[in-house]
Amino acid sequence: MSNEASRGAAVSQVSGRAIPLTGNDIDTDRIIPARFLKAITFEGLGENAFADERASAKAEGRVHPLDDPRFAGGAVLLVNKNFGCGSSREHAPQALRRYGIRAVVGESFGEIFAGNCIAVGMPCVTVSAEAMGALQDVAAAETGSECSVNLETKTITFANQQFPCEINEGARRQFVEGRWDATDVLMQAGDAIGKTAEKVPYFGGWA
Amino acid sequence: MGKTLYEKVFDMHVVRPLSEGQYQVLVGLHLIHEVTSPAAFADMRERNLKIRYPNRTFATQDHANPTTSIVRPYADAENEAQVAALEANVDEFGVRYFSPTRGEQGIVHVIGPEQGLTQPGMIIVCGDSHTSTHGAFGALAFGIGTSQVRDVMATQTLPMSKFKVRKIEVTGKLKPGVYAKDVALYIMQKMGVKAGIGYAHEYAGSVIENFSMEERLTLCNLAVEAGARCGYVNPDETTYEYLRGRPYAPKAEAWDKAVAFWNSIRSDADAQYDDHVIFAGEDIEPMVTWGVAPDQAMGIKGTVPQLADYEEHERASIEDALAYMDFKPGQKLEGTKIDVAFIGSCTNGRMSDFEAVAAFLKGRNLKVAPGVKALVVPGSQKVRAQLIEKGLDKVFTEAGFEFREAGCSMCLALNPDKLEGRQVCASSSNRNFKGRQGSPTGRTLLMSPVMVAASAIKGEVTDPRTMFEAPAAAAE
Ligand code: SF4
């Protein structure tokens, strides 16, 4: 949790090199294999993002996109459908963020994953399948061109092309208003929490 | 116009609106375990926060503990450190802990219901995606991440947007040899793992109404695998009968108040749904998965689908899954050799699951096939104790199954229970993802516990129905 994204900082635009990572239904077990859940902190997770897939790519003489020098230092991850499905482990977004990813652009996302990404200050935005095809093509072809995700205008700019993107409005406002670290915002409810607790019948033990 | 249970329960828990479509909602029950809580506690400490309602958070250990022995320290240093951290944290923050030393430990989604903590009308969260399980009681229950575990501890609330609600009806009756697990896998096969995104699933229809609580728990456990954050069943007499007398269930006068409240939150007859699908119970066969996602499933008599059955953009993923599993389009799965058989997990680790397997094995002198490692891992220490009390542990061990201590075990293999190399595992768990059971190349076939048992006996994937009428069964 405590990473260099400072709590309360607005996230309205993310720019950087793009990493195309193709495939549907990439689950959080693949993003961060379970054995890395045995630690009691998130520290050091960045280097283990996609550990098994990177190792098997290497063993088979392929280069995994996260190890591809063309995408080194990438900050925008380009993915397909249902990315981050499966286990609720926050270790998955933590690993990606600690690797250096600052925004994930996909066709759709596992819901818990997308929620966890909010908590680490890393927006997930969606684009059409067509747009994603184009974005991934550009990323694979261009070297060094910057991809920029703008949450104010909900547009992605990449190699002089523009693509509209979507994000849940509540989440978008959390990012642009710097409210993505929820604790302080939730604390502000103060007494209203206790009032709701009083009217929920089971909460006080059916008194 | 009437309301769904989802709307009634959500609305009741709203503390205040946050921004467009987003609300701050009160959490009624918070369950924690050793894997997703340590960083949350560390952050609480760093930010100097206290737990706002410590009596609404409950802890146990399940993922990391070994199942060969509960003696501490655990052999694996990381497992030990994680559990020790949890124990120190619950002490410091004043959280009730279901400890192995008191015989109360178990998988968090097994002990919530077992203790009577899980009740209709609650909002229930846990740092674990299979929290959807608790929806079986008519609660809104969903998994959260570690930052949210911290937020719930600090404020007893979370920011939430409303889901749409889809009613999934399963009508008619199930055929013999078809279990709740098969129903869940069938729904996924038909709808896909992405269908539930953005939805809460309400399960209804005669099949579900006739389900026991434990069967409903299996079904709701797998709601999340269909993409839905939560799934639920309207509470009824079955729910109340299960709850009555449990340690944390309301007692005496409170019980009557509770039942009145529970009845009031049921979906109204004229409630509107955002989507409605209907399946016929009679169409459902015993199911098995062939791929690396739970919707890559088929009836046991079926064949692995052809690439042409998929849309073009999906074919690469399907080919990849088949290559990983080493299956070919058009082949049958019956007869596939297995190396490991695993019966347990929060999907199928409850009394009725093991009783069904024991009934299948008992008195027939069936033995696990040579070379197959077969594990029976109870979902909780209480389940384990009951099995022993009924003598069912003997039924398993005499058939050649190892009878283990309670925990998640080979569902996720965070503890020492792991597949090795490319082993094939017939598993009653919930995820057949690549590498899920502890070997990066291990292969998982999801199925009902009874099919796992039949497959363990034959040493290959087996339709349990072919073994139902063995003459030796009469010898009992
Ligand atoms: S049994 Fe499996 S799915 Fe259930 S809580 Fe444990 S690891 Fe998660």
Side-chain angles (χ1 to χ4, degrees), chain B residues 64-138:
Chain B
N65 59 287
T67 56
T68 41
S69 157
I70 58 169
V71 176
R72 301 283 294 274
Y74 296 150
D76 180 295
E78 283 181 305
N79 286 161
E80 172 61 29
Q82 220 167 34
V83 170
L86 176 78
E87 290 176 342
N89 286 330
V90 294
D91 265 1
E92 179 184 340
F93 285 85
V95 171
R96 170 78 162 86
Y97 172 52
F98 295 106
S99 156
T101 55
R102 281 198 291 232
E104 296 172 331
Q105 172 267 349
I107 303 172
V108 67
H109 312 309
V110 175
I111 64 169
E114 184 175 272
Q115 291 285 345
L117 285 167
T118 303
Q119 295 170 20
M122 287 183 164
I123 287 188
I124 301 176
V125 300
C126 172
D128 193 286
S129 51
H130 291 99
T131 307
S132 63
T133 313
H134 305 261
F137 287 77

Side-chain angles (χ1 to χ4, degrees), chain B residues 346-418:
Chain B
C346 60
T347 311
N348 286 125
R350 298 183 182 79
M351 246 351 247
S352 56
D353 297 310
F354 297 112
E355 282 172 334
V357 172
F360 173 78
L361 295 172
K362 202 173 171 187
R364 300 170 63 183
N365 199 26
L366 298 172
K367 299 281 179 218
V368 170
V372 172
K373 181 185 177 71
L375 299 185
V376 166
V377 185
S380 72
Q381 287 182 305
K382 285 197 192 307
V383 169
R384 188 172 191 277
Q386 275 184 67
L387 289 170
I388 293 172
E389 200 182 292
K390 294 191 167 184
L392 301 185
D393 57 325
K394 299 263 166 7
V395 175
F396 298 126
T397 51
E398 276 162 19
F401 287 84
E402 295 176 38
F403 184 68
R404 295 291 191 89
E405 299 288 344
C408 297
S409 179
M410 209 183 268
C411 173
L412 167 87
L414 265 199
N415 76 346
D417 306 336
K418 291 181 186 0

Side-chain angles (χ1 to χ4, degrees), chain A residues 54-169:
Chain A
R54 288 159 81 180
S56 61
K58 207 176 237 159
E60 293 162 19
R62 291 180 291 115
V63 183
H64 190 276
L66 264 62
D67 291 318
D68 191 326
R70 289 181 299 159
F71 313 129
V76 179
L77 193 63
L78 304 176
V79 300
N80 299 99
K81 291 192 179 61
N82 204 24
F83 184 79
C85 58
S87 152
S88 63
R89 61 189 68 166
E90 189 173 310
H91 303 68
Q94 289 280 355
L96 293 176
R97 193 162 198 305
R98 284 158 198 271
Y99 169 90
I101 304 298
R102 293 294 175 269
V104 190
V105 183
E107 292 171 52
S108 62
F109 293 95
E111 278 178 344
I112 304 182
F113 174 83
N116 285 340
C117 286
I118 299 175
V120 304
M122 180 174 73
C124 291
V125 302
T126 56
V127 296
S128 68
E130 233 180 353
M132 182 45 67
L135 285 164
Q136 288 178 333
D137 287 347
V138 177
E142 286 276 330
T143 50
S145 159
E146 228 183 44
C147 180
S148 172
V149 180
N150 189 320
L151 296 183
E152 302 272 8
T153 59
K154 295 201 277 182
T155 44
I156 297 170
T157 312
F158 196 18
N160 299 321
Q161 292 186 60
Q162 298 221 327
F163 303 87
C165 66
E166 286 304 322
I167 177 170
N168 167 292
E169 180 58 16

Side-chain angles (χ1 to χ4, degrees), chain B residues 105-218:
Chain B
Q105 172 267 349
I107 303 172
V108 67
H109 312 309
V110 175
I111 64 169
E114 184 175 272
Q115 291 285 345
L117 285 167
T118 303
Q119 295 170 20
M122 287 183 164
I123 287 188
I124 301 176
V125 300
C126 172
D128 193 286
S129 51
H130 291 99
T131 307
S132 63
T133 313
H134 305 261
F137 287 77
L140 306 188
F142 43 87
I144 57 176
T146 298
S147 294
Q148 293 182 311
V149 170
R150 172 199 65 212
D151 293 340
V152 172
M153 290 199 288
T155 72
Q156 200 62 35
T157 63
L158 279 179
M160 278 209 72
S161 307
K162 270 194 189 181
F163 300 133
K164 291 184 274 188
V165 184
R166 172 183 287 128
K167 185 172 186 173
I168 300 182
E169 270 187 84
V170 186
T171 59
K173 267 197 179 147
L174 298 181
K175 295 188 285 198
V178 177
Y179 302 91
K181 177 66 157 287
D182 300 309
V183 175
L185 289 172
Y186 178 86
I187 292 172
M188 273 189 276
Q189 184 210 357
K190 293 291 171 204
M191 299 182 65
V193 287
K194 297 181 257 306
I197 296 178
Y199 283 91
H201 282 171
E202 175 175 314
Y203 298 106
S206 57
V207 166
I208 280 109
E209 283 155 21
N210 290 326
F211 269 173
S212 68
M213 270 329 287
E214 299 199 346
E215 291 171 310
R216 294 177 189 182
L217 286 161
T218 299

Side-chain angles (χ1 to χ4, degrees), chain B residues 114-116 240-251 255:
Chain B
E114 184 175 272
Q115 291 285 345
Y240 309 153
E241 267 323 298
Y242 179 96
L243 270 167
R244 199 190 295 272
R246 304 231 164 221
Y248 285 86
K251 308 256 157 27
W255 175 262

